Amino acid sequence: MKKVIGIGGIFFKSKDPKAATEWYHKHLGLKTNPYGATFEWFESPDSNAIAETQWTPFSADSKYFDKEFMINYRVEKLDELVDELQKEGVTIVDEIEVTEYGKFVHILDGDGNKVQLWEPTE
């Protein structure tokens, strides 16, 4: 079974997320939106399916993740993957959340870092 198929997002803490977003827009040309910036790319060289990687600054006091950053990994078949990870003894932090953007769940890596797994909505 495929596990990780790409980076879904890079999230980091900022003292002023709005100002950080504006700085990256002004100085580095990121095409920003209310969530930060979204980078589109094709699933594979011979595909017309567009995929996305999200870039988002969060408030410095955000409780969404503990460290200064969190990586979101794109996966396939999240439900099956969570079952497999549980059997392997991986810590599953929360229940799978279903949103309009897809399914999400948080796990802890071998160093105790919280990472997010995301199965995009097709």
Side-chain angles (χ1 to χ4, degrees):
M1 167 180 15
K2 272 190 175 177
K3 294 188 178 191
V4 172
I5 59 172
I7 301 294
I10 299 171
F11 310 110
F12 61 95
K13 293 186 178 183
S14 170
K15 292 177 185 172
D16 187 341
K18 184 176 179 185
T21 300
E22 290 170 359
W23 187 94
Y24 277 87
H25 172 74
K26 178 179 178 180
H27 298 289
L28 297 181
L30 268 62
K31 184 178 175 185
T32 57
N33 59 48
Y35 302 104
T38 302
F39 299 90
E40 293 182 343
W41 45 276
F42 291 101
E43 289 281 351
S44 63
D46 60 347
S47 172
N48 290 329
I50 295 177
E52 299 176 341
T53 299
Q54 183 64 36
W55 173 93
T56 305
F58 278 74
S59 170
D61 60 356
S62 173
K63 302 295 183 222
Y64 194 60
F65 50 97
D66 301 327
K67 308 280 180 155
E68 295 300 312
F69 66 92
M70 180 179 70
I71 298 176
N72 164 291
Y73 293 101
R74 293 171 55 96
V75 301
E76 294 177 330
K77 302 178 184 176
L78 183 60
D79 297 285
E80 293 176 27
L81 178 55
V82 167
D83 289 341
E84 184 177 325
L85 293 173
Q86 285 176 322
K87 291 175 188 170
E88 294 170 355
V90 173
T91 300
I92 311 298
V93 176
D94 47 21
E95 299 293 320
I96 293 174
E97 179 183 3
V98 179
T99 74
E100 64 183 292
Y101 305 109
K103 296 178 182 179
F104 296 87
V105 72
H106 296 94
I107 65 170
L108 297 181
D109 72 9
D111 288 326
N113 296 308
K114 185 177 180 181
V115 298
Q116 187 177 59
L117 304 178
W118 169 48
E119 179 184 343
T121 303
E122 294 184 19

